[in-house]
């Protein structure tokens, strides 16, 4: 299930099925998702916010919550940006009507207007209300806009009637929701990602490194896995854990990263070099801790191997995506790197912006390939990663024919190495 580490905003609206949403939160949390709950005023007549706060571990967003107070969570814009997906369960007939008309008269409907995340609705209502022409027409409009409708199921209703209008069970909703993240765009392909910084030792206690947290690379590994790829990750020293089903190898230095990449590369269809590899290392590693004897100290440095350039020189090279961390003349430098490193694609980030790039939660990318360009506007790293993986998948598909000799050979290599 690909809900691990996903930010799920659960909207709970007024209906007797609201009691089932408590179980839904528990199952989402068990599946590894980070869950925040937003409740409408009517929903709170059925279940208290305290139930959802206890199960999600976060304060519940309501129209009355005072977001200026510490510990009260996020306002509507912060929630809209935070969510990887919005699930409204139960979604009342009134909610369907409000979303159809783009109303924003409470916190939940405002979040739905403000978010760029996919929205899924689990309708729950009396069968006559569900089959009413107005509700059906609203559903049609919402589906045309890309909103996902999960259910309803048919059966005995709380009001005693029998028919369509029961909210889907928690496990059905989880399954459908995880489908939102499993695009299948990289199904059957092997992807290698590098992430994090390298550490170049000076002496037994000191090293040269940089501020890479590994977040961007780890998010890319998860996005590629969710897109159906078999993912390997070569990671520099970071405080993150690789996602489920991602084979991770930890390294320290650029030389070790190169060796790990060399070992894995023959079985890859796509290589994404997101690591911030140190360009230079101390010419020699002092065996003893350097003593503070002089006022000034020079440290001779030597060039590290360029990992990504070595990979693009291989005869049987994979599709290679590089990153460019730039502080000025971004486009010019990114295009120079695309050409000089013979990359298939490069994702350029502005590392002067403290909200993006190194050690930040968000990023924004300008993606270039020979003859093409795409901007990925500032968003959380997991969302940027999913968007970039989709760009890579489309470009890969347009330059490689599935089922050709190379792809088949690599599939064979992968099975031998698993
Ligand atoms: O880890 P985070 O905190 O989430 O931050 C993400 C990031 C800013 C580190 C990431 O988005 C990023 O930009 N990574 C590449 C950083 C970098 O080293 O950029 P560069 O312009 O110096 O290198 C260009 C490309 O060559 C990169 O793909 C790099 O991996 C590769 N390279 C560089 C040097 C080297 N010796 N070997 C390489 O393979």
């Amino acid at each position: 299930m690909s809900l691990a580490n996903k930010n799920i905003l659960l909207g709970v609206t007024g209906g007797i099925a609201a009691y089932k949403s408590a179980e839904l939160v528990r199952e989402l949390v068990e599946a590894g998702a980070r869950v925040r709950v937003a409740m409408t005023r009517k929903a709170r007549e059925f279940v208290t916010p305290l139930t959802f706060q206890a199960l999600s571990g976060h304060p519940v967003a309501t129209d009355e919550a005072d977001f200026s107070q510490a510990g009260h969570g996020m306002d509507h814009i912060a929630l809209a940006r935070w969510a990887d997906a919005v699930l409204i369960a139960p979604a009342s007939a009134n909610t369907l009507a409000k979303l159809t008309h783009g109303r924003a008269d409470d916190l939940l409907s405002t979040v739905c207007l403000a978010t760029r995340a996919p929205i899924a609705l689990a309708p729950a209502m009396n069968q006559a209300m569900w089959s009413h022409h107005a509700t059906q027409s609203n559903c049609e409009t919402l589906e045309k806009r890309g909103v996902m409708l999960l259910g309803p199921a048919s059966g005995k209703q709380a009001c005693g009637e029998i028919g369509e209008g029961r909210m889907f069970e928690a496990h059905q909703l989880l399954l459908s929701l995880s489908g939102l993240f499993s695009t299948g765009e990289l199904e059957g392909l092997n992807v290698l990602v590098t992430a994090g910084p390298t550490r170049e030792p000076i002496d037994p206690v000191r090293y040269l490194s940089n501020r890479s947290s590994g977040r961007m690379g780890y998010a890319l590994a998860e996005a590629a896995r969710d897109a159906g790829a078999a993912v390997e990750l070569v990671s520099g020293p970071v405080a993150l854990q690789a996602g489920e089903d991602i084979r991770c190898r930890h390294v320290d230095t650029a030389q070790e990263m190169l060796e790990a990449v060399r070992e894995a590369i023959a079985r890859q269809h796509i290589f994404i070099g997101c690591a911030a590899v140190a360009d230079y290392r101390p010419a020699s590693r002092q065996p003893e801790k350097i003593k503070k004897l002089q006022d000034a100290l020079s440290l001779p440095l030597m060039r590290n191997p360029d990992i990504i350039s070595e990979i693009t020189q291989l005869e049987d090279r994979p599709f290679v995506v590089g990153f460019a961390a730039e502080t000025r003349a971004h486009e010019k430098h990114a295009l120079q790197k695309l050409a000089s490193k013979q990359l298939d694609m490069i994702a350029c980030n502005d590392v002067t912006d403290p909200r993006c790039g190194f050690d930040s939660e968000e990023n924004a990318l300008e993606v270039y390939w020979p003859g093409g360009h795409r901007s990925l506007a500032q968003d959380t790293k997991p969302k940027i990663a999913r968007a970039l993986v989709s760009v890579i998948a489309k470009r890969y598909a347009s330059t490689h024919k599935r089922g050709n000799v190379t792809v088949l050979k690599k599939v064979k290599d992968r099975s031998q190495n698993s």
Side-chain angles (χ1 to χ4, degrees):
M1 171 118 22
S2 54
L3 287 172
N5 298 326
K6 302 295 185 301
N7 295 343
I8 308 297
L9 174 66
L10 176 67
V12 183
T13 69
I16 182 61
Y19 81 92
K20 287 195 195 172
S21 308
E23 176 63 14
L24 180 57
V25 174
R26 204 185 58 75
E27 291 202 18
L28 282 167
V29 170
E30 235 165 59
R34 292 181 281 256
V35 184
R36 299 259 178 174
V37 179
M39 297 180 80
T40 62
R41 196 180 307 246
K42 283 275 179 218
R44 283 179 288 140
E45 290 174 16
F46 291 92
V47 191
T48 68
L50 196 58
T51 306
F52 292 110
Q53 175 167 334
L55 290 167
S56 69
H58 295 286
V60 169
T62 61
D63 295 324
E64 288 76 20
D66 179 359
F67 298 106
S68 61
Q69 284 194 353
H72 235 310
M74 304 183 198
D75 67 16
H76 60 287
I77 296 298
L79 273 174
R81 289 173 61 88
W82 172 86
D84 290 323
V86 178
L87 168 64
I88 303 187
S92 64
N94 183 46
T95 305
L96 297 179
K98 280 201 328 190
L99 296 186
T100 304
H101 293 283
R103 295 197 59 172
D105 61 354
D106 62 6
L107 181 112
L108 185 57
S109 53
T110 312
V111 170
C112 288
L113 264 193
T115 194
R116 279 192 248 138
I119 298 177
L121 306 175
M125 65 198 73
N126 165 271
Q127 54 87 21
M129 291 169 78
W130 170 251
S131 59
H132 194 283
H133 179 72
T135 306
Q136 289 304 308
S137 151
N138 289 339
C139 288
E140 212 174 291
T141 306
L142 289 167
E143 279 193 304
K144 272 193 201 136
R145 283 189 209 143
V147 172
M148 192 158 114
L149 282 182
L150 309 177
S154 171
K156 189 152 189 230
Q157 301 204 293
C159 55
E161 294 181 16
I162 293 175
E164 262 191 306
R166 283 169 59 91
M167 186 168 101
F168 264 11
E169 298 301 328
H171 68 271
Q172 286 173 295
L173 293 176
L174 251 70
L175 207 62
S176 308
L177 197 62
S178 65
L180 274 179
F181 300 102
S182 314
T183 63
E185 282 180 302
L186 294 178
E187 199 64 56
L189 299 180
N190 301 347
V191 175
L192 176 67
V193 182
T194 61
T198 62
R199 280 182 187 169
E200 311 298 329
I202 297 170
D203 67 16
V205 295
R206 303 180 180 97
Y207 53 80
L208 288 181
S209 192
N210 58 64
R211 290 175 34 238
S212 168
S213 64
R215 282 189 202 107
M216 192 66 241
Y218 275 60
L220 280 164
E222 292 199 4
R225 177 210 54 201
D226 292 348
V231 179
E232 292 181 56
L233 178 64
V234 176
S235 172
V238 297
L240 299 174
Q241 241 192 323
E244 214 177 303
D245 296 332
I246 293 171
R247 200 200 296 182
C248 182
R249 179 152 167 207
H250 293 277
V251 297
D252 269 341
T253 64
Q255 192 59 42
E256 287 168 11
M257 187 170 274
L258 174 64
E259 277 152 27
V261 168
R262 273 184 188 152
E263 185 281 317
I265 205 68
R267 49 184 182 269
Q268 309 302 329
H269 300 98
I270 298 173
F271 172 50
I272 308 175
C274 184
V277 187
D279 289 322
Y280 291 90
R281 66 175 184 272
S284 62
R285 179 184 191 267
Q286 300 303 311
E288 303 290 338
K289 186 178 165 209
I290 299 171
K291 294 283 179 208
K292 199 170 44 178
L293 300 173
Q294 310 154 40
D295 285 344
L297 181 70
S298 298
L299 198 61
L301 301 177
M302 61 189 287
R303 277 280 288 272
N304 263 330
D306 194 299
I307 300 173
I308 215 161
S309 297
E310 178 171 322
I311 299 311
T312 57
Q313 295 312 306
L314 296 174
E315 202 181 313
D316 185 17
R317 59 175 275 180
F319 184 90
V320 181
V321 182
F323 268 70
E326 302 299 340
T327 52
R328 65 180 183 87
H330 305 83
E331 180 172 354
K332 181 175 147 214
H333 289 141
L335 290 174
Q336 270 168 3
K337 281 177 188 168
L338 180 72
S340 67
K341 297 187 185 225
Q342 296 184 34
L343 305 173
D344 295 295
M345 186 178 279
I346 194 155
C348 176
N349 33 206
D350 175 0
V351 291
T352 59
D353 182 345
R355 299 164 307 162
C356 291
F358 284 90
D359 200 17
S360 58
E361 296 293 339
E362 301 199 340
N363 212 358
L365 297 174
E366 296 298 327
V367 188
Y368 303 94
W369 59 91
H373 166 240
R374 170 97 190 265
S375 295
L376 302 180
Q378 189 180 333
D379 215 325
T380 63
K381 283 182 176 170
K383 282 193 216 166
I384 289 283
R386 282 196 282 281
L388 179 58
V389 160
S390 187
V391 174
I392 293 171
K394 288 190 180 77
R395 185 74 191 142
Y396 179 85
S398 73
T399 52
H400 293 68
K401 282 196 182 66
R402 290 292 186 103
N404 69 13
V405 176
T406 312
V407 171
L408 288 176
K409 173 182 163 288
K410 292 192 175 181
V411 169
K412 203 165 148 227
D413 287 348
R414 177 169 62 169
S415 59
Q416 280 165 356
N417 279 285
S418 56

